[in-house]
Amino acid sequence: MPVLLQVDFPFTGPWGEAMTEALRGLAESIAEEPGLIWKIWTENPATAEAGGIYLFADRASAEAYLAMHTARLMGFGIPQVNGKIFDVNPALSAIDKAPL
């Protein structure tokens, strides 16, 4: 069953197109992570936060990714990484047009 991973952390930029240019290589490496189905990148300059919403094929892949990504972000100097893993209800999600 797929699981959703929600990650957010303090971030001071860059934002928008500059973020895309600066983090393209990171996005390409994330696309190759085991079990990843998709990721939506999130950014909020007003609150100085960034992160993502991920769909993984299974809980083990999401947990492994969260541990690795938390260590990577802390290595970049990010002081706090918030991560939550949720089970997905496919039947209700399909009603609401989720891309499962």
Side-chain angles (χ1 to χ4, degrees):
M1 173 180 295
V3 297
L4 192 81
L5 170 62
Q6 173 186 319
V7 175
D8 65 82
F9 49 88
F11 189 69
T12 58
W15 308 106
E17 185 60 34
M19 182 185 204
T20 301
E21 292 174 20
L23 300 178
R24 183 175 304 276
L26 179 60
E28 290 168 351
S29 79
I30 291 170
E32 301 301 318
E33 288 295 326
L36 179 70
I37 298 171
W38 52 253
K39 175 184 179 180
I40 296 174
W41 288 67
T42 58
E43 57 183 282
N44 188 337
T47 60
E49 295 175 284
I53 306 295
Y54 307 72
L55 187 66
F56 280 90
D58 56 80
R59 181 171 289 275
S61 295
E63 289 173 348
Y65 179 79
L66 178 58
M68 180 279 299
H69 194 49
T70 297
R72 173 172 48 200
L73 290 170
M74 290 187 159
F76 293 160
I78 305 291
Q80 179 180 347
V81 178
N82 304 307
K84 294 181 181 180
I85 297 174
F86 299 91
D87 292 330
V88 172
N89 182 308
L92 291 174
S93 298
I95 292 169
D96 292 321
K97 304 176 187 177
L100 297 177

